[in-house]
Amino acid sequence: MTHQFDTVIIGSGLAGLRAALEAAGAGNVAVLSKLYPTRSHSTTAQGGIGAALGNEEPDKPEWHFYDTVKGSDFLGDQDAIEIMCGDAIRAIIELEHMGVPFSRTPEGRIAQRYFGGHTKDFGTAPVRRACYSADRTGHAIVFTLYEQCQLKGVKFFPELFVLDIVIENNRCHGVIVLEISTGEIHIFSSKVTLIASGGYGRVFKTTSNAYVSTGDCLSILYNRGIPLEDMEFFQFHPTGLYGLGILITEGARGEGGILINGKGDRFMERYAPTIKDLAPRDMVCRAILTEIREGRGIDGKDYIYLDLRHVPKKTIKERLPEITTFCKTYMGIDPSEQPIPVIPTAHYAMGGIPTDIDGRVLMDEKGSVMQGLYSAGECACVSVHGANRLGCNSLLDTVVFGRKAGRAIKEEIGRDTAGKNKKEDIVGARHAVPLLERSKIMIDSILKCNGKERLANIRTELQDRMMEHCSVFRDEKNLKGLIESIRNLKERTKDIYLKDKTRKFNTELIDAIELNHMLNISEVIASSAIERKESRGAHYREDCPERDDTSWLKHTLAFKTDKEIEFRYKPVNITRFKPEERIY
């Protein structure tokens, strides 16, 4: 079945919804999602969205700009960062007017709280910058944008799985998808396609990411010749529930929570004397694991405590209700009475599909644009996060650059004539036909597999090895061993066995395709980590522990070739803040 739309958006998270809302002003818009739209991973974002409103104390966009650059370990592109921080206030007020139920001050203003790496006066002290809706901020914004998209006539197609992206002659013509409920394959032909498919944290054993975060679209584009940028940088959040990885928002520390080790010490005072527990996430993760490595975990075990017992119960009840529920449900503890056992958990991808500030996908280090293809959100790399994302900047990234991509799409479609558009629809459908046949052959071959390997075993082994050798601490020897293991796992996937041979709601088939994408993405991450011989932000090489601005103040672009991955580089855009020592 073939569908024709002016704009097709893959992903119903915040970036996809905000882009859809903007693009709806020009032509018809389809949003395709693996899930029901309001089940997207954006709904799990807890703590807040950053903007220098100054509602609780003085703040300025330029301080936000500086914090983001410094937090990125100076790898973020400062032109893009300045746009994001400068547009933040407008974006928050716009969301408020759309109906987002932000928490309020006694005077009725949008409430703000402390968050990691947010400071005043260029780093002198913490500042309240995080706008929030209790600890369900992402949930509140997703539902609001979904309602607004419905009002604008955006068409939603839930439970569709992307099999391929139609690219021909440096132009994107649409996508090939599998309808999960029926097993049928569809062509979505479009003038413009936007990828907003989220992250890929499921390549790690312990993660806060949803099960759908497997990097499918990044892997597809990588296979199509689009490079992936800065893939060595993957952020671990300091406070995941021990043994589960479920996120405990940084807002818990923003409300006064502290990290303590097995001796009862507030150890972050040693690592970041000025802002302590509110240091950037990469620094806090390394501090936690250092404490554990040196034998100061709780009772000598591999976790520490997040202590909220001194925080007023009313504050916890009103501002942190979701984490209270998580702790009671999964750990059997009340955080107002008992400390929470936590460990770093894989959380956010700083790298991804290279784009310009309007979301146009870039094909190389020279900035060549892939026509008709855009990307925004966690799957994209514009690069506002550089080597380490500050808390609250993920939601801000999605709404600022989702909107910018939507506006660029709207302008592009508006420039086309009706006759030209109709012709392009036909061309797009024609280009999709061979890919459609290839997708059918791929699915048939997977369903016919009768090997000895089980998918779950291969996936678990991948996640275990990625967690062990490519997480917070890395070194060349272990990374090389990891890459060899990944390539062996790729060979083993050729000998898999699927118990379910049907086509309707065949989740085992989806798992098999996702596993191939996860292996693809994991190899790029590990290879990029070997290539960058320094430590910067979330990428910490124990065998190269110093930051090297002379050799490595540049972005990594990984290209797929017939043999090894090819790496190329492009400079970091530095406009105002020169690299400095990263002390907090």
Side-chain angles (χ1 to χ4, degrees):
M1 184 180 295
T2 300
H3 312 263
Q4 293 185 344
F5 284 87
D6 294 295
T7 302
V8 166
I9 294 173
I10 301 172
S12 61
L14 287 176
L17 292 176
R18 189 61 192 85
L21 187 58
E22 203 69 25
N28 52 7
V29 178
V31 175
L32 319 183
S33 177
K34 251 188 192 183
L35 306 166
Y36 191 76
T38 52
R39 294 285 291 172
S40 72
H41 189 52
S42 291
T43 59
T44 66
Q46 297 172 352
I49 178 169
L53 299 180
N55 285 352
E56 305 259 5
E57 58 185 307
D59 198 4
K60 297 179 180 179
E62 61 181 337
W63 297 345
H64 189 184
F65 177 17
Y66 171 79
D67 288 340
T68 302
V69 171
K70 186 176 180 181
S72 78
D73 219 346
F74 297 91
L75 196 76
D77 287 325
Q78 294 183 26
D79 57 338
I81 293 172
E82 187 168 16
I83 287 170
M84 181 180 73
C85 297
D87 195 38
I89 295 173
R90 182 212 58 79
I92 297 299
I93 300 303
E94 179 182 61
L95 291 173
E96 180 187 33
H97 289 181
M98 288 181 187
V100 175
F102 287 110
S103 296
R104 299 285 168 174
T105 67
E107 299 78 25
R109 296 180 177 182
I110 295 173
Q112 297 183 274
R113 61 183 168 205
Y114 295 118
F115 235 77
H118 294 191
T119 70
K120 64 177 72 174
D121 295 324
F122 306 103
T124 60
V127 69
R128 293 181 177 90
R129 184 178 294 144
C131 310
Y132 60 95
S133 180
D135 56 355
R136 302 187 182 102
T137 311
H139 182 278
I141 301 175
V142 165
F143 273 74
T144 300
L145 290 181
Y146 179 63
E147 291 167 355
Q148 293 295 321
C149 284
Q150 295 277 23
L151 291 173
K152 286 288 188 75
V154 173
K155 181 70 173 176
F156 287 89
F157 293 86
E159 296 186 328
L160 296 184
F161 183 77
V162 176
L163 297 174
D164 216 335
I165 298 171
V166 184
I167 294 176
E168 189 75 24
N169 298 325
N170 293 336
R171 183 170 188 88
C172 182
H173 298 280
V175 297
I176 311 292
V177 300
L178 175 70
E179 186 176 7
I180 297 173
S181 62
T182 65
E184 294 179 1
I185 299 178
H186 297 252
I187 298 172
F188 278 80
S189 179
S190 61
K191 305 177 188 71
V192 175
T193 301
L194 182 137
I195 311 297
S197 54
Y200 40 87
R202 277 288 150 186
V203 301
F204 295 97
K205 177 184 177 181
T206 302
T207 179
S208 66
N209 281 200
Y211 283 100
V212 295
S213 299
T214 50
D216 311 335
C217 288
L218 285 89
S219 176
I220 291 169
L221 288 179
Y222 176 66
N223 289 336
R224 290 277 164 272
I226 300 295
L228 297 179
E229 181 175 351
D230 291 343
M231 292 293 284
E232 61 268 39
F233 298 107
F234 196 95
Q235 181 177 85
F236 279 68
H237 194 289
T239 54
L241 280 180
Y242 178 65
L244 298 170
I246 295 172
L247 192 69
I248 300 299
T249 174
E250 201 164 300
R253 283 173 281 141
E255 297 296 348
I258 60 172
L259 299 169
I260 57 175
N261 62 20
K263 295 184 176 181
D265 297 333
R266 186 182 181 182
F267 57 87
M268 283 308 302
E269 293 179 338
R270 300 197 308 272
Y271 297 92
T274 301
I275 57 177
K276 303 179 179 66
D277 303 271
L278 294 174
R281 292 173 177 175
D282 62 315
M283 298 179 70
V284 181
C285 282
R286 288 194 294 274
I288 289 172
L289 292 179
T290 297
E291 292 294 303
I292 292 170
R293 280 181 164 193
E294 295 179 358
R296 293 187 292 276
I298 304 301
D299 296 328
K301 298 178 181 177
D302 57 342
Y303 63 87
I304 53 90
Y305 279 146
L306 171 60
D307 193 358
L308 296 172
R309 290 173 294 179
H310 56 284
V311 178
K313 289 187 177 182
K314 181 179 179 183
T315 298
I316 295 175
K317 181 179 179 180
E318 293 179 353
R319 301 184 183 182
L320 303 168
E322 192 161 77
I323 71 155
T324 300
T325 300
F326 288 157
C327 290
K328 289 180 177 179
T329 301
Y330 298 109
M331 308 299 286
I333 63 175
D334 184 339
S336 66
E337 298 177 357
Q338 297 167 272
I340 308 168
V342 294
I343 192 75
T345 181
H347 184 55
Y348 188 87
M350 274 77 73
I353 304 163
T355 73
D356 66 11
I357 58 174
D358 289 313
R360 297 180 184 88
V361 171
L362 305 178
M363 299 176 5
D364 53 37
E365 71 279 14
K366 299 176 183 177
S368 304
V369 173
M370 171 64 71
Q371 298 299 315
L373 185 61
Y374 291 74
S375 184
E378 187 176 355
C379 65
C381 185
V382 60
S383 160
V384 288
H385 307 306
N388 174 67
R389 175 179 69 78
L390 287 191
C392 294
N393 275 353
S394 59
L395 299 189
L396 184 61
D397 173 10
T398 61
V399 297
V400 168
F401 291 102
R403 175 178 177 267
K404 285 185 70 65
R407 289 170 70 90
I409 290 169
K410 186 176 179 180
E411 291 174 5
E412 180 173 336
I413 291 174
R415 288 194 298 267
D416 294 334
T417 63
K420 181 181 178 183
N421 286 344
K422 185 175 181 180
K423 182 180 178 182
E424 285 184 358
D425 285 341
I426 296 170
V427 170
R430 186 178 73 239
H431 285 313
V433 171
L435 294 182
L436 176 67
E437 293 305 315
R438 186 165 69 181
S439 294
K440 289 180 178 178
I441 292 170
M442 176 191 70
I443 288 174
D444 288 341
S445 66
I446 293 174
L447 291 175
K448 291 176 182 177
C449 285
N450 281 305
K452 299 177 181 178
E453 295 280 359
R454 295 309 302 265
L455 287 170
N457 295 338
I458 297 175
R459 183 176 59 224
T460 298
E461 189 170 337
L462 170 68
Q463 293 167 330
D464 286 346
R465 291 184 181 275
M466 284 293 289
M467 196 75 192
E468 184 177 359
H469 299 308
C470 197
S471 56
V472 177
F473 294 108
R474 303 165 172 180
D475 64 58
E476 185 169 348
K477 179 182 176 181
N478 284 323
L479 288 169
K480 285 183 175 179
L482 172 61
I483 291 174
E484 184 177 348
S485 297
I486 291 170
R487 291 172 180 170
N488 289 335
L489 291 173
K490 282 186 174 183
E491 288 299 312
R492 286 170 57 187
T493 59
K494 298 175 182 178
D495 191 37
I496 60 171
Y497 167 74
L498 264 65
K499 185 176 181 180
D500 188 352
K501 303 293 184 180
T502 64
R503 293 181 182 270
K504 295 182 179 180
F505 281 113
N506 189 337
T507 56
E508 195 175 18
L509 170 63
I510 301 296
D511 286 346
I513 301 171
E514 286 178 338
L515 177 59
N516 281 300
H517 292 317
M518 291 166 69
L519 287 163
N520 214 20
I521 292 295
S522 296
E523 185 174 8
V524 178
I525 295 171
S527 299
S528 299
I530 286 181
E531 186 73 8
R532 184 172 288 271
K533 294 175 173 59
E534 66 156 354
S535 291
R536 186 184 298 270
H539 171 69
Y540 190 84
R541 285 278 297 266
E542 293 188 281
D543 51 345
C544 307
E546 301 300 322
R547 192 179 80 190
D548 181 0
D549 291 335
T550 301
S551 302
W552 289 103
L553 188 59
K554 57 187 178 183
H555 296 295
T556 306
L557 293 174
F559 292 79
K560 183 174 183 179
T561 69
D562 292 337
K563 296 180 180 180
E564 298 294 321
I565 297 172
E566 178 185 349
F567 288 99
R568 303 180 200 168
Y569 306 93
K570 64 180 182 179
V572 177
N573 193 325
I574 298 173
T575 61
R576 179 174 177 183
F577 300 111
K578 305 301 179 184
E580 62 185 47
E581 192 174 357
R582 201 157 163 255
I583 298 174
Y584 286 89

